[in-house]
Amino acid sequence: MAFLEILHFPDPRLRKKATPVDEVNDQVRQTVKDMFETMYDAPGIGLAATQVNIQQQIIVMDVTEDKSRPVCLINPEIVAEDGEEEMQEGCLSVPGVFENVQRAESITVRALDEQGVEITLDADGLLAVCIQHEMDHLDGKLFVDYLSPLKMQRIKKKMLKMKKLDPLESDASPQSANII
Ligand code: K2U
Ligand code: ZN
């Protein structure tokens, strides 16, 4: 069992772009396992490797009520999308903030699974939203980036205040990034 530390906005490490996974090996599979454990424990319905300071193109999700459908996408690529849908989103890296974001209503994603086998997934509804949200993380993009500058500033101020009130919550190691 390994729970990974989830980075919080505006930590600059959340802005790093993830690189493609060259080989789906046992180390990658261990990362996937740790990410699922961290996601279920949070609890959340999705998690991108960027959020746990791993710059690899790996996302995990499970949008079911009973945790019965874990989905892992490695090197995901959206190959088709259709329609528009607005849905309220949250983010484990921006705790306590929920805002509406517009995204494609349905998508087709090509990726590798945990065995390194290429898969193609058609998704709509909450799963489509979650995949787009997690793939944004791999590009260093957060759902708050879709909001107005004023809202984004207010959220940044709120996150910084929360960090000051609970410094032990964060990694105090010297290499941890300073919040800007
Ligand atoms: O990236 C994350 O932080 C995971 C999100 C995934 C998500 C974002 C927007 C819409 C759906 C899923 C977290 O799971 S946020 C917490 C949450 C939990 C249940 C439903 C919605 C959001
Ligand atoms: Zn998120």
Side-chain angles (χ1 to χ4, degrees), residues 51 91-92 133 137:
Q51 293 178 272
C91 182
L92 297 173
H133 177 107
H137 276 299

Side-chain angles (χ1 to χ4, degrees), residues 44-46 51 89-92 126 129-130 133-134 137:
I45 57 176
Q51 293 178 272
E89 298 191 14
C91 182
L92 297 173
L126 183 55
V129 170
C130 194
H133 177 107
E134 302 311 334
H137 276 299

Side-chain angles (χ1 to χ4, degrees), residues 89-102:
E89 298 191 14
C91 182
L92 297 173
S93 294
V94 192
V97 176
F98 294 89
E99 292 285 349
N100 285 346
V101 176
Q102 189 162 297

Side-chain angles (χ1 to χ4, degrees), residues 10-128:
D11 190 316
R13 291 171 291 181
L14 287 168
R15 297 306 186 177
K16 290 183 178 180
K17 285 185 182 297
T19 54
V21 171
D22 294 326
E23 182 199 358
V24 182
N25 55 27
D26 288 345
Q27 183 179 13
V28 169
R29 280 184 279 273
Q30 183 59 52
T31 297
V32 169
K33 184 172 179 289
D34 294 345
M35 286 177 64
F36 270 116
E37 288 171 358
T38 303
M39 180 192 78
Y40 284 127
D41 178 67
I45 57 176
L47 188 68
T50 308
Q51 293 178 272
V52 289
N53 200 23
I54 296 172
Q55 280 75 39
Q56 289 188 298
Q57 290 181 9
I58 304 168
I59 61 177
V60 297
M61 292 153 286
D62 188 339
V63 298
T64 59
E65 292 283 330
D66 58 357
K67 303 183 183 178
S68 61
R69 192 168 184 276
V71 176
C72 168
L73 300 178
I74 297 170
N75 300 343
E77 181 192 353
I78 293 176
V79 294
E81 59 182 58
D82 187 36
E84 287 180 355
E85 183 179 35
E86 188 170 276
M87 190 182 285
Q88 188 179 65
E89 298 191 14
C91 182
L92 297 173
S93 294
V94 192
V97 176
F98 294 89
E99 292 285 349
N100 285 346
V101 176
Q102 189 162 297
R103 296 196 189 267
E105 183 178 25
S106 60
I107 59 175
T108 299
V109 190
R110 194 161 48 214
L112 300 178
D113 66 11
E114 289 163 81
Q115 304 313 318
V117 175
E118 185 171 305
I119 57 176
T120 300
L121 174 67
D122 292 322
D124 59 13
L126 183 55
L127 182 59

